[in-house]
Structures are given as C-alpha cells and as structure tokens.
Amino acid sequence: MSHPLPASAHPAAADETVARPAMTRMESKAEAISRAAMETIQQEVARREAKTAQLRAARLAKEASERAALAAKPAPVKRKAASAR
C-alpha cells in the first residue's frame, strides 16, 4: 500500500518558483497584445468610474439646491372658495 506524500514533501509546494519554458515568438507577441489590451480596458474603466462619480456629485448638488429653494419658498396661501349666495 502506498501512502501519499504530504504537501510539504512535493517539490512544487516547497519551491513556488517553478521554471517555465521560454515563450515562443508568437506567444510573447500575444502576451504583449493581451497586456496592452487589459491596460487600455483598465484605463477606460477608471475614466468611466471617475466620470460617473463627477456626474453623481453634480446631480446630488443640483437636487440639494432644488430642495433648499423649495424649502425657502413660502407656502401659497389657500383661499376659501367663494360661496354662491
């Protein structure tokens, strides 16, 4: 009966830096393109989130000023309807 080795006995677990085979020219080019695309996507996401935050702040400020204007405005005086005599 064979017993499995504990995780610490495995060479890959003991040394996390496992040597990878060198990438081919096509693989390295694909990796560079992928990295550039991901960087562009991350920049666009950051730009979109910043714009959203700016628009949200502007909307909240506008809503607050509208509420303040309504609160400052005196309530209209209600008149009783003239009775027909």
Side-chain angles (χ1 to χ4, degrees), residues 15-79:
D15 184 21
E16 290 296 325
T17 57
V18 178
R20 289 190 199 170
M23 285 195 269
T24 65
R25 193 172 122 214
M26 289 178 61
E27 289 173 335
S28 62
K29 187 173 183 179
E31 177 68 26
I33 290 170
S34 178
R35 192 175 302 126
M38 289 303 294
E39 186 175 318
T40 301
I41 290 169
Q42 289 173 351
Q43 288 173 352
E44 289 174 357
V45 167
R47 199 173 314 133
R48 184 184 70 234
E49 289 175 350
K51 184 176 180 179
T52 301
Q54 181 182 12
L55 290 172
R56 180 178 294 124
R59 177 180 50 84
L60 292 174
K62 181 182 177 207
E63 289 175 355
S65 67
E66 287 174 353
R67 279 192 301 270
L70 285 175
K73 187 183 198 182
V77 177
K78 293 185 180 181
R79 296 186 182 186

